[in-house]
Amino acid sequence: MSKHHISTTINGEPVEFLCDTAQTLLDVLRDELGLTGSKEGCGSGDCGACSVLVEGRLVCACLVLAAEVDRCAVETIEGVAQGNALHPLQQVFLNEAALQCGICTPGIIVAAKALLEKNPDPDEEEIRFWLAGNLCRCTGYDKIVRAVQQAALVMRSA
Amino acid sequence: MGRYPAGSPGWRDKVTGQANYGADFSLPGMITGRVLRSPHAHARIVSIDTTEAGKLAGVRAVVTAADFPDLPSEVVAGGESPVNYRYISCNAIARDKVLYEGHAVAAVAAISAGVAEQALKLIRVEYEVLPHVIDVRDAMRDDAPLLHDNLYTEGVDPKPTKPSNIAKRTEFLLGDPAAGFAESEIILERSYTTQPVHQGYIEPHACVASVAADGMTTVWSSSQGQFMVREFCAKLLKIADSDIRVLPAEIGGGFGGKTTVYLEPLAIALSRKSGRPVKMVMSREEVFKASGPTSGGVLQVKLGARRDGTLVAAECELAYQAGAFPGSPAIPGCMTAFACYDIPNARTVGYDVVSNRPKCAAYRAPGAPMAAFAVESALDELALELGMDPVELRLKNAAKEGTRALYGPKMPVIGFVETLEAARAHAHYNTPLKANQGRGIASGFWFNIGGQSSAAVHINEDGTAEVVTGNPDIGGSRASMAIMAAEVLGIDYAKVKPLIGDTASVGYCFLTGGSRVTFATGKAVVEAANDVVQQLRARAAKIWKCEVDEVIWKDGVAHPAQGQTDTRTQLSLAEIAASAARTGGPISGKASLNVGGAGPGFGTHLCDVEVDPETGRVTVLRYTVIQDVGRAIHPGYVEGQMQGGAAQGIGWALNEEYVYDDQGRLQNSGFLDYRMPVASDLPMIDAVLVEVPNPAHPFGVRGVGEVPIVPPLAAVANAVARASGVRVNDLPISPPRLLAALMK
Amino acid sequence: MLTYNKPTTVDEAVILLQQPQHAARALAGGTDLLVELRSGRLAAQGIVDLKRIPELRALRAEQDGFRIGAAVSGAELGEHATLKAMWPGVVEAANLIGSTQIQGRASLGGNLCNASPAADSVPALIAAGARCTVAGPGGRREVPVESIVTGPGKTSLVSGEFVVDFVLPAQAARGGDAYLRFIPRTEMDIAVVGVAVNLTLDAAGVCTTARVAVGAVAPTARLVDAAGAALVGTTVDETALNALMAAVRAACAPINDKRGTIEFRTHVAGVLAGRAAKIALDRARSRA
């Protein structure tokens, strides 16, 4: 059987690609489209490093078949900054030392952005449970939680 | 410093997804490598037939141990501790025997991952399955299955005549423990066990290797040291150092686990055979089954004290699992066990024991957390028996400047007492607890190291600067390098760009480990920047037509030295840089040092937990990390190290472990069942920086990254014991284990 | 080569799924299927994506309760205020499956048909008395949820059959449900024990009906009749709760594995049953 021809929108741009059934959205983003900002930490949906939005819904790109996103809108970490202007979350993560190695950071920023769009003023517990699917081994989460709250404040006062 | 950057130079790419980690590189013509791994815990390899795999369309190369030099077994200097390259080689690809489930047997490179995986299925390996041993106590028995026929226990007299799984016995002795115990008024003796735990970096091992037709080898890899990768690959493949160039990728976590090589030698061999660049990336399952956890251990502690709490004698015997090849951190376990305390009579004995598990790798303060778990738990019981406050007991016996350490030297300037005093004064320590809640306290020590480091500081025409070092930035060292260079040069840190060079573009740097980078490489940066300042003064002198001694450098500007009363104006760094071509050419400083004087690090942790008596669930309610950090160059990242180390220690204490079936196969090789703390498992972690500067560093820096993983195991265990009235001396304190203890 | 089809009608899907030895696998949220695919354990030759069939994505209140498409995601269930108000236990159970990211995809149909003994939503659905519509070559049939799973990884579905939707009855006026599970962490784990309780009270506060279901303590999720019976006719006082806990523990037939021991699971099943019953009781009272 030939490959699937998929038409999609990634970060607002129309994108077409060919894929096999067994390729995940993450495989295609990274290997075919050069969007390596989404990371593969586990390939089983347990670490969240490949968090993306599909039709506005936060998902792990490793648990979505590439063929499933035909005619869907996909948003990745590469679409979070507007040109050279960082998103408040990105700026605050840098300012507040909310990352160390940074491998989990793209996924956490995508997930946190989805949270703040749904809930502009989450409390600590809401942030912690929302991000429970995003493993970070470096920070102990303290500065991540603070940065999300700080970014929420920046965004609310914008 | 007084000021530090809000941002992180060189880190913008990490928040936009543009940073290149190990798996993010691609090269034209690149193909994919995959590894065939042993399904058995212990087996002899009777034969390997790769014929069919080699014939599969799209397969470009297949390698086995036969493609690698058969290295002699010898211990040589290298890495953080002496290494035996035969072990590293045999671990990278099995020779004769497989020693654990997941042990690499062969590797394939093909035009796609799918073809490579298909090819793995076509490799026929005939195994003669052998009895295996997983548990360290079982492995030490006389009748245990032997992993290595030629392994004789080192460090015992007379030399053994029979091979053993005990690779080495080590003993440290101070004073006369027997006499010390004889004069003790209270003696407490306990046994403890800990499980192996994985470093758990989120980025799996990954690399690309490309061997050119002339043999020149280039490797892009995510590791804790590009020079380590070069050194290990050169030895394993018998290539000259100068024929390998290693470019460091951004590293997605290491914690000690990326201080060795797994994939790189295989990728080089596959590239050499195929003539194509080869990318290799481990799956998470491979990371768990085939890359290093740290050792689990069995520990025995005996403490002797007077009624007033003075420690008179102490002993600790520990046996650490090395995994398939010798090399557990039993020695640092022995050295660190009592390092927090001034005990006149002490002995530690360590055993390095092999068993059919993956070869252990360094993990943050290797060997120390397990020993501290045992010693700090025993001390907590001693405090209870003596009716003493646990902080007071520690203060009474705390090591200070001049205290003789069991492992030899006298302590230099240290800040352990200061951490205990800060703990005692902290609001956390004085907050009342409710029912089923308990507070634990524990302390910890780590040596920290210095070692070989190089740095170069280049001044650009526009007055900006580059700082080039050779240490992967694992947790904020780029920022620290930029801050220190900016401080010396007297310019805004935003004008300093920190870069990490490859092995061909910067002088040798020992790997990122031992909490050494801000200290040792930082010292090289300071010296390189001082070298630049010297040159800047010389250029100013040339412009002013005076002697160098008549120019002083202050706040980024050349001034005439005091007493000079002519009309010469000041010259800024930017002005001197702009005229560099006319005053002698590029301005560039460098330093290559072997740095001594690393300042030992101490920390004290406070932990509050609540225990659900009906289910055995432990909830960490509050956590405070207090540590002597020398001088914090970038306080945000220093706090981050402390918080991250504590979180890892909490996982170690409560849930992380390796679960094997009766065939010696790992049952939890994924993040689903290898339970590292998630965001909702932890409270905020308060980090208290105690600053007792290290006199051996120009800014007072001492290492901070490793100490914070040492105290948490006991801090959590002590809190659980005080909350529930039941002491669990076997980690992890998982709900089934704690509930079973509660119901006894 | 693995095929991929995305039918838009139930009939089309039945034809695509009608392959010998279940060679075609139904895909809903994919949170289990893709893990299987990735690990090389997936034996299927084809994947049939059911998410383009409108019926499987619909969630609507009906006269006698709710009809929930088998591929509706956990996140969508959690956002449905009236469903959550009437069946908080069912929604909480569905929302406990995995992370926020998993919730964006995981479905009741997948959670059921993956046939894990530890599936969180299944005990809650059973306790709620949910039924499901099965479509197949023989047409459609509506069956109780507890009739689908027959053992770990095994279902009663024949080739070509799949679950189209779930029918939740209307909760009684004085009814309440709750689901609790035990995991070692606070998130991201598979249930070591799961217990659902759904009970109704009369005007005097006496329990008139009670359904108690357990998960992860037997090869399949189980409805424990004796546990329900322990509550009926009582005011769900301490004596009744103790009887409930004993009945639940008696119904447990767990295994020792990497997630828990027989003793732990059995003991904790009782503890959670007692706690879940109290929550269900409070909910029933507050709805009255």
Side-chain angles (χ1 to χ4, degrees):
Chain A
M1 189 191 143
S2 57
K3 293 191 177 221
H4 310 289
H5 176 198
I6 305 300
S7 303
T8 180
T9 306
I10 299 180
N11 301 325
E13 305 268 334
V15 174
E16 291 183 42
F17 61 83
L18 298 175
C19 67
D20 293 325
T21 302
Q23 279 180 293
T24 64
L25 175 58
L26 182 60
D27 292 337
V28 166
L29 289 174
R30 290 182 54 82
D31 301 338
E32 313 289 340
L33 304 175
L35 295 169
T36 54
S38 303
K39 305 300 179 189
E40 179 162 325
C42 68
S44 55
D46 298 311
C47 79
C50 64
S51 295
V52 299
L53 300 184
V54 175
E55 292 291 280
R57 210 41 103 178
L58 183 68
V59 299
C60 289
C62 73
L63 291 187
V64 178
L65 291 177
E68 288 184 77
V69 302
D70 196 28
R71 287 170 287 144
C72 292
V74 177
E75 292 160 72
T76 71
I77 182 65
E78 285 87 352
V80 173
Q82 297 301 308
N84 273 330
L86 295 181
H87 186 276
L89 273 162
Q90 292 171 314
Q91 192 60 57
V92 173
F93 266 61
L94 283 176
N95 292 354
E96 302 300 318
L99 64 152
Q100 288 174 31
C101 83
I103 194 88
C104 70
T105 308
I108 289 187
I109 285 176
V110 168
K113 181 168 173 273
L115 170 63
L116 297 185
E117 279 162 11
K118 193 178 148 94
N119 178 356
D121 189 13
D123 65 20
E124 183 193 336
E125 192 179 341
E126 286 166 326
I127 294 169
R128 287 188 181 277
F129 276 90
W130 182 272
L131 294 179
N134 291 87
L135 284 177
C136 169
R137 189 64 156 171
C138 291
T139 64
Y141 305 105
D142 182 295
K143 291 186 188 300
I144 291 173
V145 173
R146 287 179 204 276
V148 174
Q149 285 178 319
Q150 176 70 25
L153 187 67
V154 171
M155 289 166 71
R156 287 199 307 277
S157 36
Chain B
M1 303 290 109
R3 63 201 166 83
Y4 72 94
S8 313
W11 274 25
R12 200 184 149 97
D13 283 357
K14 288 190 180 185
V15 298
T16 60
Q18 288 162 314
N20 279 313
Y21 292 83
D24 298 338
F25 284 98
S26 290
L27 288 173
M30 189 174 78
I31 58 176
T32 303
R34 284 284 191 275
V35 179
L36 181 71
R37 297 185 182 276
S38 168
H40 305 296
H42 194 192
R44 194 169 304 284
I45 300 171
V46 178
S47 65
I48 306 179
D49 181 354
T50 64
T51 320
E52 291 303 311
K55 282 186 197 156
L56 184 69
V59 171
R60 296 302 165 92
V62 184
V63 296
T64 65
D67 294 278
F68 294 79
D70 195 350
L71 300 175
S73 180
E74 57 181 1
V75 177
V76 295
E80 199 165 344
S81 49
V83 293
N84 185 327
Y85 284 114
R86 180 174 181 81
Y87 293 154
I88 295 174
S89 175
C90 291
N91 190 46
I93 193 151
R95 191 173 286 278
D96 310 328
K97 269 171 98 178
V98 288
L99 295 169
Y100 55 93
E101 185 213 11
H103 199 163
V105 173
V108 170
I111 54 164
S112 72
V115 173
E117 272 157 24
Q118 238 182 303
L120 294 183
K121 293 186 184 132
L122 297 175
I123 298 175
R124 288 197 184 82
V125 186
E126 192 187 329
Y127 293 103
E128 177 197 341
V129 178
L130 302 170
H132 68 277
V133 60
I134 294 291
D135 182 77
V136 66
R137 281 164 297 200
D138 294 341
M140 292 173 83
R141 291 162 56 117
D142 280 344
D143 59 350
L146 285 177
L147 274 75
H148 304 277
D149 296 334
N150 51 0
L151 187 67
Y152 295 85
T153 309
E154 262 185 74
V156 291
D157 193 32
K159 192 177 182 299
T161 52
K162 273 175 58 187
S164 162
N165 290 326
I166 304 171
K168 190 170 185 173
R169 179 188 185 278
T170 309
E171 181 173 334
F172 292 86
L173 179 66
L174 183 68
D176 184 346
F181 284 114
E183 67 172 271
S184 296
E185 291 165 343
I186 178 168
I187 292 176
L188 188 130
E189 196 168 358
R190 295 287 183 273
S191 300
Y192 303 87
T193 62
T194 72
Q195 292 298 312
V197 292
H198 198 274
Q199 295 81 351
Y201 32 81
I202 309 300
E203 181 204 29
H205 297 267
C207 68
V208 176
S210 180
V211 182
D214 64 358
M216 185 60 206
T217 298
T218 311
V219 178
W220 293 258
S221 94
S222 162
S223 80
Q224 285 175 245
Q226 56 272 44
F227 289 93
M228 175 278 299
V229 172
R230 183 182 72 172
E231 185 180 346
F232 284 18
C233 289
K235 292 289 192 310
L236 264 51
L237 291 148
K238 291 200 169 161
I239 312 173
D241 284 351
S242 58
D243 284 346
I244 308 184
R245 180 178 174 199
V246 181
L247 296 96
E250 202 64 64
I251 176 171
F255 315 109
K258 290 178 183 167
T259 57
T260 188
V261 294
Y262 300 102
L263 297 176
E264 290 87 348
L266 306 183
I268 293 172
L270 288 167
S271 178
R272 197 156 61 179
K273 229 172 174 171
S274 64
R276 303 275 289 266
V278 175
K279 181 190 256 188
M280 298 186 82
V281 182
M282 280 196 194
S283 67
R284 181 53 53 184
E285 185 180 357
E286 288 178 295
V287 171
F288 274 113
K289 288 186 173 172
S291 74
T294 190
S295 309
V298 178
L299 305 96
Q300 232 6 76
V301 171
K302 188 175 173 187
L303 299 176
R306 282 202 273 276
R307 282 269 153 218
D308 68 356
T310 307
L311 290 169
V312 185
E315 280 184 345
C316 177
E317 187 174 298
L318 54 88
Y320 283 0
Q321 298 165 352
F325 298 93
S328 78
I331 294 174
C334 288
M335 293 165 78
T336 57
F338 298 116
C340 288
Y341 305 105
D342 186 352
I343 309 174
N345 308 292
R347 185 207 320 269
T348 53
V349 176
Y351 296 94
D352 181 24
V353 185
V354 296
S355 65
N356 296 110
R357 295 168 172 267
K359 179 183 186 332
C360 78
Y363 182 20
R364 220 167 186 162
M370 309 79 126
F373 165 60
V375 171
E376 295 290 311
S377 294
L379 269 178
D380 198 54
E381 280 202 74
L382 186 66
L384 286 166
E385 289 205 16
L386 291 169
M388 266 183 94
D389 176 280
V391 175
E392 297 304 329
L393 176 64
R394 286 171 174 81
L395 268 171
K396 193 168 187 70
N397 296 286
K400 302 172 188 68
E401 185 180 358
T403 296
R404 169 74 66 190
L406 169 60
Y407 60 90
K410 284 190 172 173
M411 287 291 172
V413 176
I414 55 171
F416 181 38
V417 167
E418 287 81 349
T419 70
L420 289 165
E421 286 168 346
R424 188 171 55 182
H426 197 281
H428 182 172
Y429 197 58
N430 300 291
T431 305
L433 293 163
K434 299 185 182 123
N436 296 320
Q437 297 180 353
R439 177 164 301 138
I441 174 177
S443 297
F445 158 85
W446 186 247
F447 315 91
N448 301 322
I449 62 169
Q452 300 182 77
S453 280
S454 300
V457 176
H458 306 303
I459 302 300
N460 301 316
E461 264 187 32
D462 62 356
T464 60
E466 266 121 28
V467 177
V468 188
T469 62
N471 282 111
D473 174 7
I474 206 163
S477 57
R478 280 191 188 90
S480 298
M481 298 306 132
I483 294 167
M484 287 188 276
E487 185 78 15
V488 174
L489 297 174
I491 60 176
D492 185 4
Y493 78 88
K495 291 194 168 172
V496 182
K497 180 74 73 187
L499 296 167
I500 296 155
D502 64 72
T503 54
S505 62
V506 62
Y508 179 85
C509 284
F510 181 60
L511 53 75
T512 296
S515 301
R516 63 178 294 278
V517 176
T518 304
F519 170 69
T521 305
K523 195 164 176 178
V525 166
V526 169
E527 292 219 357
N530 277 326
D531 182 1
V532 166
V533 167
Q534 286 306 105
Q535 295 174 38
L536 291 165
R537 288 173 63 216
R539 300 302 173 92
K542 194 164 185 179
I543 292 166
W544 289 336
K545 298 190 172 56
C546 67
E547 295 301 313
V548 175
D549 294 349
E550 297 170 61
V551 179
I552 59 168
W553 189 259
K554 192 162 171 286
D555 298 332
V557 177
H559 301 263
Q562 273 183 342
Q564 300 293 323
T565 53
D566 55 36
T567 56
R568 289 176 292 201
T569 52
Q570 299 175 352
L571 279 171
S572 71
L573 184 145
E575 286 165 328
I576 297 172
S579 63
R582 296 188 300 279
T583 58
I587 300 169
S588 180
K590 67 182 184 59
S592 285
L593 314 171
N594 194 354
V595 183
F602 291 84
T604 296
H605 292 197
L606 301 172
C607 173
D608 291 357
V609 303
E610 181 162 317
V611 171
D612 180 342
E614 292 184 312
T615 65
R617 158 185 284 292
V618 174
T619 303
V620 179
L621 302 171
R622 186 170 183 181
Y623 204 98
T624 301
V625 182
I626 303 158
Q627 188 174 321
D628 170 20
V629 301
R631 185 99 177 273
I633 298 298
H634 186 301
Y637 291 134
V638 170
E639 289 166 3
Q641 289 296 314
M642 292 159 66
Q643 293 163 333
Q648 289 181 326
I650 291 168
W652 196 335
L654 290 178
N655 278 311
E656 294 180 35
E657 63 180 321
Y658 277 47
V659 182
Y660 283 91
D661 71 6
D662 57 9
Q663 300 298 304
R665 287 179 301 231
L666 187 62
Q667 296 297 289
N668 57 332
S669 54
F671 285 140
L672 184 61
D673 286 301
Y674 183 84
R675 302 184 190 96
M676 310 197 315
V678 302
S680 50
D681 291 337
L682 296 173
M684 288 303 190
I685 299 172
D686 191 12
V688 178
L689 310 187
V690 171
E691 294 191 299
V692 177
N694 173 12
H697 186 278
F699 293 125
V701 168
R702 57 177 90 227
V704 297
E706 286 167 293
V707 177
I709 202 172
V710 182
L713 285 59
V716 172
N718 291 342
V720 170
R722 287 170 181 261
S724 66
V726 171
R727 197 165 278 273
V728 179
N729 288 339
D730 304 300
L731 297 185
I733 308 173
S734 60
R737 183 168 280 151
L738 180 55
L739 185 67
L742 287 166
M743 289 174 70
K744 239 185 227 165
Chain C
M1 203 69 169
L2 192 65
T3 63
Y4 171 80
N5 285 286
K6 42 184 182 182
T8 53
T9 67
V10 167
D11 292 345
E12 215 185 318
V14 169
I15 292 164
L16 287 164
L17 283 168
Q18 213 175 341
Q19 304 287 338
Q21 277 87 46
H22 292 277
R25 284 282 296 273
L27 168 68
T31 54
D32 289 310
L33 187 70
L34 265 80
V35 176
E36 233 181 287
L37 173 67
R38 161 90 186 196
S39 71
R41 284 180 288 123
L42 188 75
Q45 280 136 39
I47 287 176
V48 181
D49 185 354
L50 303 176
K51 288 189 297 298
R52 307 263 170 164
I53 306 172
E55 273 180 85
L56 274 88
R57 298 300 300 273
L59 197 184
R60 59 181 189 273
E62 295 192 330
Q63 208 169 6
D64 293 320
F66 294 90
R67 189 171 289 271
I68 305 169
V72 171
S73 72
E76 291 169 288
L77 295 176
E79 289 160 7
H80 199 284
T82 52
L83 174 67
K84 208 172 168 179
M86 186 174 276
W87 290 107
V90 170
V91 174
E92 282 164 7
N95 286 171
L96 282 173
I97 304 165
S99 59
T100 315
Q101 287 85 341
I102 300 294
Q103 282 293 306
R105 300 262 295 167
S107 66
L108 293 183
N111 201 222
L112 178 64
C113 297
N114 186 52
S116 161
D120 284 304
S121 69
V122 178
L125 287 167
I126 292 173
R131 298 172 67 79
C132 53
T133 311
V134 174
R140 294 188 181 214
R141 58 195 173 96
E142 197 182 289
V143 296
V145 166
E146 54 268 39
S147 71
I148 298 293
V149 181
T150 55
K154 293 194 171 68
T155 68
S156 58
L157 300 176
V158 301
S159 174
E161 281 192 326
F162 64 97
V163 174
V164 176
D165 57 24
F166 293 81
V167 180
L168 270 174
Q171 176 61 287
R174 295 185 191 85
D177 78 327
Y179 173 78
L180 291 177
R181 71 167 181 191
F182 187 89
I183 54 172
R185 291 181 291 191
T186 51
E187 270 284 0
M188 300 306 290
D189 289 331
I190 303 291
V192 181
V193 180
V195 183
V197 176
N198 174 31
L199 55 79
T200 57
L201 305 174
D202 65 15
V206 174
C207 177
T208 51
T209 65
R211 285 170 67 88
V212 178
V214 294
V217 290
T220 67
R222 279 184 180 176
L223 182 66
V224 185
D225 291 328
L231 300 181
V232 173
T234 76
T235 54
V236 194
D237 55 9
E238 280 309 305
T239 315
L241 288 173
N242 285 336
L244 162 78
M245 290 163 71
V248 163
R249 286 177 180 143
C252 291
I255 55 169
N256 285 321
D257 68 4
K258 60 192 170 190
R259 292 171 187 150
T261 60
I262 291 169
E263 297 74 22
F264 180 81
R265 286 187 154 115
T266 306
H267 177 83
V268 172
V271 172
L272 295 190
R275 293 178 182 179
K278 283 185 195 165
I279 297 169
L281 179 67
D282 285 346
R283 286 173 174 167
R285 283 175 177 159
S286 65
R287 279 173 54 84

